[in-house]
Each structure stands twice: as C-alpha cells, then as structure tokens.
Amino acid sequence: MNGPRAGGSGLLRCAVLDDYQEAATTLADWGPVAGRVEVVTFADHLSDEDRLAARLTDFDIVVTLRERLPFPASLFDRLPRLALLVASGMRNSVIDYAAAARNGVTVCGTASSGTPPVELTWALLLGLARGIVPENTALRTGGPWQSTLGADLHGRRLGLLGLGRIGSRVARVGLAFGMDVVAWSRNLTDERAAEVGVRRAGSKEELLAGSDFVSVHLALGDRTRGLIGAPELALMRPTAYLVNTSRAAIVDQDALLDALHAGRIAGAGLDVFDTEPLPEDHPLRTAPRLLATPHLGYVTRANYATYYGEAVEDIAAFLDGSPVRVLP
C-alpha cells in the first residue's frame, strides 16, 4: 500500500496538472497545507503516458482537472510514490478506480457547478444562430457590412437530448426565449418533462427530425456512445443546428464532419472533442459551418475557485487521516 513520503525537503510533493491559465495558486488559498506540501504547477499538457509517468514519478499527490488526463492501471502501476489523486468534479470516467485501490491510491473529488456549461451552451447556440463570429471578423477586417441572415429563436423548436441537471437549465433558458422545447432520453418520463415545463419527444428520431436546434446533455456510457451518427444526422433539417457541450463520443465525429462539409445541417457548435487538445492539423479546425471552443464548458473563475479550493481541502483532510469526497 502506498503512503505519502516526504521528499528531500521534508515536504510532500503535489503536482497540479494542465493548469493552462496558471490559476491553481491564485484562485485558492493553499495555506492549510503550507509547510507540509510543496506545490508544483504545470501549464502544459502531456498526453504521452511515458512522459507523464516520468514527470509524476517524484510526486505524492496529483491534482487533475475533470477528465483531461486518463489514469489507467498502466499509469498507476508506474507511480509507486503516488498516494492521493484529486480530480475536479464528483464523476470521472477516465480513472481506473480498481487500479487506484490496488496501488493504495486514494481518489477524491470536488464540487462542480452546472451553471458554466449551461451558459456556454447558449453562447454557442446564439453565436451560431446570429453568425457572431463571421460578422465580427468581417467588421474587424474591412469585410462586408452584414453578410448573414440570423436564425430566429422565438417560436422555433429546441430539442434536448437529456434533461438532467444541465439539460433542464438549458430548457428553462429556451423557454424564456419563447422557444418550443422538447426533450428525449431513454429514461425520460412525461412527468419529469412536465416538471421542467417541456414536452417529451416520442423518440430520438422524432426529436431530431422536428427540431431547429438540437443540444446534447447526456452522460457518456455504453448506451450513449455514438448515439448521434450518420443516420441520425440525416434526419435533421438542413436549416437545423447541433450543439454538443457534453461528451465528444456521443456524436460520431467523422459523420458530423461529413454533414458539415456537405451542408446537410446548417451548422454545429462543439466544446468537446475525441482528442484534446485538438491537434493543430485536425480537420475540425477548418470545418465549415462550425463554431468551436477548446472545452471551456466548466472553465470559469468561480468554478476553478471551487475546484482548487476543495482540492486543498481534500489534501489537508487526507494528510490528517480523514479523507473527504472519496471517489467513486
């Protein structure tokens, strides 16, 4: 079984990974573990397991954001010094919990607000509907004064795949815009839909065929992986838009690229990708009719303050022998 071991400095070593904005030490007070833990932040991303294992070999504690980095058994087996892994959020599909337990690693989570992804969903949807990016680019570069015709929201149908914590909030915003909101998931009931003030679609196919905007808000699992493929995209209207701020694997990426290039749908808004960070030569970077953001759904000041603040709490509690927010 692993246990925290002090390094040559007498301090335990904590690696904070993928701190792109260098926010970990500015948005949280690490005072509660001062004198016990040496904190080292990394602003780059290592997807290669060999390089990642080499980087982490001298660390007792690792803090990782959401599901940016997988922690499979092969990685745990190469980190004999690791004793605590803190991952933001309370659900993580890329951590092998059995391997963590086998290697004596405690895994803890943090709270995560559902508000930021709701807001980003609407940023993408509105950006697509009103051509914000091409119009802004034209204005700033001496291009044409008005070149697009915006798509109306009021009176149009918003189809939601998933009506959980995030989907229900997206629904209420749609209702405020005067949209006709329908929702579908395998377990959705008429009663649950009515609680949110929307209608339940009879099937996934009915929702896709009848909606002007489709937004994905489902958890990734065996039943949702590849849920939207070429046959489903073919059901959508050529004037319809698809937004995915949930999980990339729910929508078949190649099928979506084909639909965008062929103009079979009006456009798509994406915040999640099969490979992240997205390679510089990836075809999605140059796809037509696409508004994309680099997985910003949960990236807000308040959410990061919660992530890192509770990561400090997790570390302090672990060092005191009473771990909190233990996963899974």
Side-chain angles (χ1 to χ4, degrees):
M1 298 291 285
N2 286 1
R5 300 182 304 174
S9 65
L11 301 177
L12 300 178
R13 304 194 74 218
C14 172
V16 180
L17 302 179
D18 293 320
D19 186 14
Y20 300 147
Q21 296 88 357
E22 299 182 346
T25 56
T26 60
L27 293 181
D29 176 13
W30 290 77
V33 296
R36 295 192 286 176
V37 175
E38 175 194 0
V39 180
V40 181
T41 64
F42 297 95
D44 60 338
H45 176 82
L46 295 182
S47 57
D48 179 80
E49 186 175 305
D50 290 338
R51 295 177 64 198
L52 185 60
R55 169 172 287 180
L56 298 180
T57 188
D58 292 328
F59 287 93
D60 309 277
I61 303 166
V62 171
V63 177
T64 182
L65 273 173
R66 301 297 294 147
E67 296 169 328
R68 286 184 183 174
L69 273 174
F71 274 80
S74 56
L75 181 56
F76 281 115
D77 291 343
R78 298 169 72 175
L79 301 175
R81 181 165 167 169
L82 182 63
L84 174 65
L85 175 64
V86 178
S88 54
M90 291 300 293
R91 180 167 56 186
N92 195 302
S93 64
V94 298
I95 295 174
D96 187 328
Y97 294 107
R102 187 173 63 251
N103 283 275
V105 179
T106 299
V107 183
C108 297
T110 74
S112 181
S113 173
T115 300
V118 172
E119 295 172 351
L120 186 72
T121 295
W122 281 101
L124 290 172
L125 195 151
L126 288 166
L128 286 167
R130 300 305 297 268
I132 298 298
V133 172
E135 292 289 4
N136 176 259
T137 300
L139 186 147
R140 295 173 63 88
T141 59
W145 184 262
Q146 297 185 8
S147 62
T148 63
L149 282 173
D152 295 280
L153 270 60
H154 184 86
R156 302 290 177 164
R157 180 170 295 174
L158 171 63
L160 300 176
L161 291 168
L163 198 64
R165 181 174 66 124
I166 294 174
S168 60
R169 295 184 185 183
V170 173
R172 293 185 177 102
V173 176
L175 293 171
F177 273 116
M179 302 184 78
D180 172 28
V181 183
V182 299
W184 177 89
S185 68
R186 285 187 173 90
N187 298 321
L188 183 64
T189 64
D190 290 330
E191 292 74 20
R192 169 58 184 163
E195 288 176 7
V196 183
V198 306
R199 295 184 295 107
R200 182 181 68 86
S203 65
K204 172 184 66 176
E205 291 74 16
E206 176 187 320
L207 181 143
L208 293 169
S211 297
D212 300 290
F213 300 88
V214 175
S215 192
V216 180
H217 302 286
L218 294 165
L220 179 62
D222 292 340
R223 296 198 304 173
T224 59
R225 188 179 299 275
L227 185 73
I228 305 299
E232 289 77 19
L233 290 168
L235 294 172
M236 294 180 62
R237 300 170 177 176
T239 55
Y241 296 88
L242 174 69
V243 175
N244 185 10
T245 58
S246 182
R247 292 292 182 268
I250 295 173
V251 179
D252 185 304
Q253 191 169 267
D254 292 336
L256 178 59
L257 272 168
D258 288 344
L260 291 171
H261 280 284
R264 287 194 289 272
I265 60 175
L270 297 181
D271 187 49
V272 288
F273 308 92
D274 289 343
T275 302
E276 297 184 6
L278 200 62
E280 292 184 7
D281 60 349
H282 197 284
L284 278 173
R285 287 187 180 265
T286 55
R289 304 176 180 86
L290 177 67
L291 176 58
T293 48
H295 206 154
L296 298 178
Y298 55 86
V299 183
T300 67
R301 183 173 296 274
N303 220 23
Y304 269 36
T306 297
Y307 287 171
Y308 291 121
E310 293 196 358
V312 174
E313 294 176 3
D314 289 348
I315 295 168
F318 174 78
L319 296 180
D320 291 340
S322 302
V324 295
R325 292 185 285 267
V326 176
L327 299 178

